[in-house]
Amino acid sequence: MRLILLLLACACSADKGVTVHNSTPSVTITDPAAGASFDVDTTINLIALVEDRETAPEDLLLRWTSDTDGTLSEDSIATSDGTVEYNTANLSPGQHVITLQAI
């Protein structure tokens, strides 16, 4: 059985109100490539780059999710250069759309 990953990047703003403006963080999943497939129980190293003009990367709230398995991690922390990694060998068999959300 194989796992197939489709990767999405999602950035969300924490704006509340009309007087405060906070630009949306940018998120780019850099590895693995979209459509990559893996054997079940293989450790998959997800790597992304996050940026925000107003907030240091290490201060962003990050959430990795799978459309099949739900929330994978809410405790990832980006490095000061914006690199964030998440490793898992626990995805269920089948196709997954993996998303990284930055707030």
Side-chain angles (χ1 to χ4, degrees):
M1 178 119 348
R2 307 273 295 163
L3 297 172
I4 298 174
L5 299 179
L6 301 175
L7 305 170
L8 297 176
C10 178
C12 297
S13 175
D15 288 345
K16 295 195 191 251
V18 293
T19 58
V20 175
H21 177 72
N22 184 5
S23 64
T24 302
S26 66
V27 177
T28 305
I29 297 175
T30 58
D31 199 49
S37 64
F38 301 88
D39 291 327
V40 173
D41 296 327
T42 298
T43 299
I44 301 167
N45 188 25
L46 300 165
I47 303 172
L49 184 62
V50 296
E51 292 182 272
D52 186 59
R53 288 186 289 183
E54 289 88 18
T55 304
E58 59 269 26
D59 293 333
L60 293 170
L61 301 174
L62 304 171
R63 179 183 307 142
W64 291 97
T65 59
S66 160
D67 67 326
T68 303
D69 292 339
T71 299
L72 302 173
S73 172
E74 293 181 309
D75 59 2
S76 292
I77 298 174
T79 62
S80 61
D81 71 353
T83 301
V84 59
E85 293 188 38
Y86 174 69
N87 300 307
T88 185
N90 298 321
L91 293 176
S92 60
Q95 185 168 317
H96 293 259
V97 175
I98 303 296
T99 305
L100 175 60
Q101 179 182 33
I103 301 172

